[in-house]
Amino acid sequence: MKRILLAVFGILALAFATLTPAFAQSKGVVYYLVPTLLDEFQTGSVTALELFLKQAGYEFKSLNADNKTDAQQSQMNDVIALKPAAIVLAAVDFNALKPSIEAARAAGIPVVEFDRQITSTPSDFTSVAGTVEIGHVAADQAEKLLKAKNGSVKGKVLQVLGDPGDPYTLDIQKGFEDKMKAFPDVKIISLPAMQWEASNAGTIVADQMLANPDIDLIFSHAAHLSVAAVASLEAAGKKPGDVMLMSSNGAPVGLDLIRKGWLNVEVEQPLYAQAAAVAMFMDKVVKKQEIKPGEYDVIGLKSTVTKEAWGPNIKIPGAAITKENVDNPAFWGNQKPPTDAIKPVE
């Protein structure tokens, strides 16, 4: 009996010794505070951040605020009390979360801004798409579409923004409208889909098609808003191609709309690269080491780190998706994450 017990203890000890290094490799817990799970970009961001942060050696947990500012503020307070290795934040409201960011950093917890840039207070790292540049790409595409339809760059554009509390949509609007100023014969009608609700976008499109039946192009700031736009167009008796459509985040539903002939262009927001950048720099963030400005390769995309008043900021370029390149597996909307593990920046 004693020999059996000794053998059992020996096996357990061996198993524990084998497992211990795996546990020891954990660099701590990183919490991701996601603003909502209403669209595919947000659900995809949870999956991508978990994938890449685990490759970098961190445990991962996420909390969903359901687009409620007070809920996210409460979540920040709760997470600060848990003293994680770091907090990744995509803010519901970039102004309202400023005190929470400052409280976390005062407690020694680094804060990384993901997707939604906050410039009113310092953070330890920010990973964003080049959102103004996404607006520029969208303007280039709008120029081509309007010229092809009307013979010159003229016509009427309905721009369906997301929630105005989100700098992502405000930056895209700025980039788009700044570049379209070169074409005075283009009239732009800009209206916000509050809380990024698809139903709000659908109502905007339905109302504007009645008020402005000569709209040439609808530019929505997210693919799920274009789904609602299409539903409103179908209800009005429109068919694919009757009204040109663009979106700006690269979600699977947007790529499907391209394949179905409804959507002309989807300007990708590079979700995989944004998430990979967070994981690549997380060691430096946690160790409070300097993040040097310069060019970095983020899963094949040439990205730029700059030192801003609000801290180190990486900007990652987007790209136009059309029927010619819609099946490219590099686009996150095709849901084929990179197979190569990311490497932390040394």
Side-chain angles (χ1 to χ4, degrees):
M1 185 66 179
K2 185 183 289 186
R3 288 181 179 178
I4 294 173
L5 288 173
L6 287 172
V8 170
F9 284 131
I11 292 169
L12 290 173
L14 179 61
F16 183 78
T18 303
L19 291 171
T20 298
F23 289 119
Q25 288 174 5
S26 175
K27 298 173 182 176
V29 179
V30 174
Y31 273 86
Y32 174 40
L33 275 62
V34 61
T36 177
L37 294 176
L38 278 176
D39 64 82
E40 291 171 301
F41 183 90
Q42 302 299 346
T43 56
S45 71
V46 174
T47 303
L49 281 166
E50 181 174 19
L51 171 68
F52 294 126
L53 283 167
K54 283 187 174 180
Q55 289 177 358
Y58 293 90
E59 297 175 58
F60 176 87
K61 295 182 180 181
S62 65
L63 296 172
N64 171 26
D66 287 322
N67 253 338
K68 298 173 183 175
T69 299
D70 58 345
Q72 194 167 61
Q73 289 169 324
S74 179
Q75 289 170 350
M76 282 288 285
N77 291 335
D78 293 341
V79 171
I80 290 169
L82 295 173
K83 299 188 182 301
I87 296 171
V88 178
L89 173 66
V92 173
D93 185 310
F94 62 102
N95 285 321
L97 268 294
K98 177 178 180 285
S100 299
I101 296 165
E102 292 169 350
R105 298 184 78 237
I109 303 167
V111 178
V112 172
E113 307 301 340
F114 177 76
D115 180 44
R116 301 182 174 191
Q117 190 178 63
I118 294 177
T119 62
S120 58
T121 191
S123 295
D124 295 273
F125 186 65
T126 297
S127 178
V128 291
T131 42
V132 172
E133 291 79 5
I134 284 175
H136 291 164
V137 173
D140 290 339
Q141 295 298 315
E143 176 187 349
K144 293 176 184 177
L145 291 170
L146 291 170
K147 187 173 183 179
K149 181 183 178 184
N150 298 327
S152 63
V153 188
K154 63 182 180 180
K156 193 172 287 185
V157 176
L158 171 60
Q159 181 178 209
V160 183
L161 283 63
D163 193 276
D166 183 351
Y168 170 82
T169 196
L170 300 179
D171 284 352
I172 291 175
Q173 180 186 19
K174 182 181 186 305
F176 182 70
E177 293 180 1
D178 282 352
K179 199 152 192 183
M180 292 304 293
K181 285 177 183 176
F183 307 105
D185 292 331
V186 177
K187 180 182 179 181
I188 301 173
I189 303 165
S190 299
L191 295 167
M194 301 302 291
Q195 299 295 315
W196 288 98
E197 285 280 356
S199 59
N200 293 336
T203 300
I204 289 169
V205 172
D207 291 347
Q208 288 301 312
M209 289 305 298
L210 289 173
N212 296 281
D214 57 342
I215 287 172
D216 295 288
L217 171 65
I218 299 172
F219 173 35
S220 301
H221 285 194
H224 75 287
L225 302 183
S226 282
V227 173
V230 166
S232 292
L233 291 174
E234 285 184 311
K238 302 292 184 182
K239 295 179 181 179
D242 288 348
V243 179
M244 299 181 293
L245 293 170
M246 298 193 310
S247 301
S248 64
N249 73 341
V253 290
L255 274 58
D256 288 343
L257 289 176
I258 290 176
R259 296 182 179 106
K260 292 174 181 176
W262 278 104
L263 199 66
N264 298 82
V265 180
E266 180 77 23
V267 184
E268 189 200 34
Q269 181 185 5
L271 185 157
Y272 288 150
Q274 284 179 244
V278 171
M280 285 171 57
F281 287 93
M282 187 54 72
D283 283 355
K284 287 192 172 293
V285 167
V286 170
K287 295 174 183 177
K288 296 181 171 55
Q289 296 175 344
E290 180 188 7
I291 295 175
K292 295 180 180 179
E295 301 294 328
Y296 292 84
D297 183 293
V298 182
I299 57 172
L301 294 179
K302 186 179 179 181
S303 307
T304 305
V305 171
T306 55
K307 188 172 288 187
E308 306 293 346
W310 58 89
N313 186 102
I314 191 166
K315 186 183 289 186
I316 302 169
I321 305 172
T322 65
K323 63 182 180 180
E324 285 76 26
N325 65 354
V326 66
D327 294 321
N328 186 335
F331 296 132
W332 76 265
N334 285 315
Q335 298 181 301
K336 296 178 180 178
T339 53
D340 293 339
I342 63 98
K343 295 180 180 179
V345 174
E346 296 179 355

